[in-house]
């Protein structure tokens, strides 16, 4: 099969993916009319994004996304290794967020943007007055100008749900969250009304949502985002907070980076992924519960299948929960031994002139043929119960003029199925049935 390489229509998320603003924690939510909403997502490098920089070339934006992948992976790995119950470690390197989600906060509502991410739980936004805030392009949220803002008390269940909460002199709960790259947010835990503008044109409001109102925030955050929204599996995530309304269901469909069509994220009944062509794989419960763990049994190159090595060399099946699916990481990270087999198999299968990645990031690169087409066998990721053909144009990508490289990379620790290889699939998470469903879809036509 041939893979085509017009400068990569890369997408990255969320998740999805500088982005959504703010916060949530414990339920108390008003149900939507039909139990489901669909919202547009805008990639930070899309022409539709407020962060879009016309002076940057396609390859500069692409390299930036790849570099964020490695930075983000380091942060996720550090979080996974953290065991201390006394310190709440965030699971997101803020610059790794890829998709913008718009939300309105307060009464009257004020528009904010923030990072939407399946690898993070706690959600927060920058607030006035600000002791220390990073530069933000849009005005900071002012809790004094809304009728529905209320701080959360130290004795509340919401405060107890934050691992590193403290009390101020007025017995109000204060949160602290630190990220793997030393970025941080500190502020008040509060409740507020959040309003989403759905793709149908109807606004949907959720009262008494608990969020972090950050008065001290700094690090590698982008000026285009107001904060973080967590779509992870932990108790602080928006998915669990809105559970009474959305029933533990959300889905997304990610378009190409240079598409003029927004990606979408859906919650509740609108998020059900079904029909002909759907494949499902179980979610595996492991620590930390923020991450969505899947079981990767192996990958195929054409007709040759390569098995994921298990921790027990005599075992016939792969270790359960050996990879996480993450909307905020661009690249796919495979265990080094599996990656080496994949690279060797592709080398034997591809007829082309080898090239070197000018930036030294990717191992397997080729000169792009004059016809703009590099012939490569299809690559299939074999999850338990679900075989996913990786989308054409996402496995080998033109990273510099005339140079295409394999976008699956080796990892010595955490394995991650990144968003570059999720594109043009409608991906549905069902936390009740504990499964993830995949449906091949042209996401630019899925609105």
């Amino acid at each position: 099969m041939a893979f085509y390489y017009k400068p990569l229509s890369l997408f990255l998320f969320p998740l999805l993916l500088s982005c959504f603003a703010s916060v949530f924690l414990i339920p108390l939510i008003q149900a939507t009319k039909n139990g489901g909403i669909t919202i547009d997502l805008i990639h930070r490098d899309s022409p539709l994004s407020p962060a879009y920089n016309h002076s940057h070339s396609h390859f500069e934006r692409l390299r930036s996304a790849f570099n964020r992948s490695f930075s983000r992976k380091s942060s996720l790995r550090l979080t996974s290794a953290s065991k201390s119950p006394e310190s709440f470690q965030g699971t997101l390197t803020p610059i790794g967020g890829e998709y913008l989600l718009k939300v309105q906060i307060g009464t009257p509502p004020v528009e904010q943007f923030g990072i939407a991410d399946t690898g993070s739980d706690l959600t927060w936004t920058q607030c006035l007055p600000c002791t220390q805030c990073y530069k933000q392009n849009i005005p900071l949220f002012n809790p004094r100008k809304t009728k529905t803002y209320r701080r959360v008390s130290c004795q509340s269940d919401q405060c107890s749900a934050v691992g590193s909460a403290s009390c101020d002199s007025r017995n109000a709960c204060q949160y602290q969250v630190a990220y793997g790259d030393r970025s941080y947010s500190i502020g008040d835990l509060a409740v507020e009304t959040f309003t989403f503008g759905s793709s149908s044109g109807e606004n949907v409001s959720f009262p008494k949502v608990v969020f972090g109102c950050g008065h001290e925030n700094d690090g590698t955050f982008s000026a285009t985002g107001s904060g973080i929204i967590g779509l992870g599996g932990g108790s602080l995530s928006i998915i669990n907070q809105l559970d009474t309304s959305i029933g533990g269901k959300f889905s997304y469909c990610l378009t190409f980076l240079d598409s003029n069509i927004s990606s979408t994220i859906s919650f509740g009944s609108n998020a059900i992924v079904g029909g002909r062509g759907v494949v499902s794989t179980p979610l595996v419960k492991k620590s930390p519960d923020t991450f969505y763990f899947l079981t990767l049994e192996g990958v195929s190159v054409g007709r040759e299948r390569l098995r994921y090595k298990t921790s027990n060399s005599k075992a016939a099946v792969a270790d359960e929960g050996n990879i996480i699916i993450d909307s905020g990481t661009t690249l796919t990270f495979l265990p080094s031994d599996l990656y080496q087999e994949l690279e060797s198999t592709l080398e034997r299968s591809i007829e082309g002139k080898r090239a070197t990645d000018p930036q030294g990031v990717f191992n397997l690169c080729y000169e792009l043929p004059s016809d703009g087409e590099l012939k490569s066998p299809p690559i299939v990721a074999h999850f338990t119960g679900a075989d996913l053909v990786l989308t054409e144009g996402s496995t080998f990508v033109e990273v510099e003029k005339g140079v295409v490289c394999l976008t699956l990379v080796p990892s010595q620790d955490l394995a991650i199925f990144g968003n570059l290889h999720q594109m043009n699939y409608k991906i549905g998470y069902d936390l009740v049935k504990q499964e993830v469903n995949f449906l091949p879809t042209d996401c630019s036509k899925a609105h």
Side-chain angles (χ1 to χ4, degrees), residues 159-178:
C159 189
S160 299
V162 181
S164 58
S166 60
C167 297
D168 67 7
S169 58
R170 294 171 291 175
N171 197 38
C173 185
Q174 294 188 310
Y175 75 92
Q176 299 181 44
V177 58

Side-chain angles (χ1 to χ4, degrees), residues 8-13 43-46 56-73 93 95-99 257 327-333 361-362 397 399 407 418-420:
L8 173 68
S9 299
L10 188 102
F11 75 83
L12 307 149
F13 191 162
H43 189 281
R44 64 181 291 169
D45 292 330
S46 163
H56 289 173
S57 71
H58 166 79
F59 296 115
E60 286 175 322
R61 287 190 288 271
L62 199 58
R63 283 292 180 183
S64 179
F66 292 155
N67 290 333
R68 290 194 301 268
S69 263
F70 287 94
S71 178
R72 175 176 172 79
K73 177 180 174 291
T93 299
I95 58 170
E98 302 296 348
Y99 285 83
L257 171 64
S327 63
T329 301
T330 307
L331 305 172
T332 288
F333 292 83
V361 173
F362 300 104
V397 167
V399 299
T407 55
N419 58 36
L420 181 56

Side-chain angles (χ1 to χ4, degrees), residues 50-107:
Y52 188 74
N53 189 330
H54 292 274
S55 67
H56 289 173
S57 71
H58 166 79
F59 296 115
E60 286 175 322
R61 287 190 288 271
L62 199 58
R63 283 292 180 183
S64 179
F66 292 155
N67 290 333
R68 290 194 301 268
S69 263
F70 287 94
S71 178
R72 175 176 172 79
K73 177 180 174 291
S74 297
S75 182
L76 294 176
R77 178 180 56 79
L78 289 171
T79 298
S80 178
S82 177
K83 301 294 183 182
S84 171
E86 301 301 322
S87 176
F88 182 80
Q89 175 97 354
T91 60
L92 172 71
T93 299
I95 58 170
E98 302 296 348
Y99 285 83
L100 300 174
L101 184 58
K102 181 171 68 176
V103 64
Q104 296 180 10
I105 308 175
T107 308

Side-chain angles (χ1 to χ4, degrees), residues 295-314:
T295 302
L296 180 65
E297 297 178 347
V299 296
S300 289
V301 177
R303 295 182 179 180
E304 187 169 351
R305 183 158 176 160
L306 313 173
R307 189 167 68 92
Y308 194 121
K309 297 293 192 303
T310 64
S311 56
N312 180 356
S313 60
K314 295 182 179 180

Side-chain angles (χ1 to χ4, degrees), residues 110-124:
V110 177
E111 187 174 282
Q112 301 280 278
F113 287 89
I115 299 170
D117 180 39
T118 57
S120 183
D121 288 329
L122 181 66
T123 317
W124 54 269

Side-chain angles (χ1 to χ4, degrees), residues 319-331:
D319 295 329
E320 285 194 343
N322 55 22
I323 191 169
I324 66 172
I325 179 171
D326 181 43
S327 63
T329 301
T330 307
L331 305 172

Side-chain angles (χ1 to χ4, degrees), residues 296 298-302 306 377-383 386-390 395:
L296 180 65
V299 296
S300 289
V301 177
L306 313 173
I379 299 176
V380 180
H382 300 285
F383 295 96
D387 295 337
L388 302 186
V389 180
L390 303 190
T395 52

Side-chain angles (χ1 to χ4, degrees), residues 3 332 378-381 388-395 408 417 421 425:
F3 288 79
T332 288
I379 299 176
V380 180
L388 302 186
V389 180
L390 303 190
T391 308
E392 286 189 9
S394 71
T395 52
L408 293 87
F417 187 59
H421 302 113
Y425 275 95

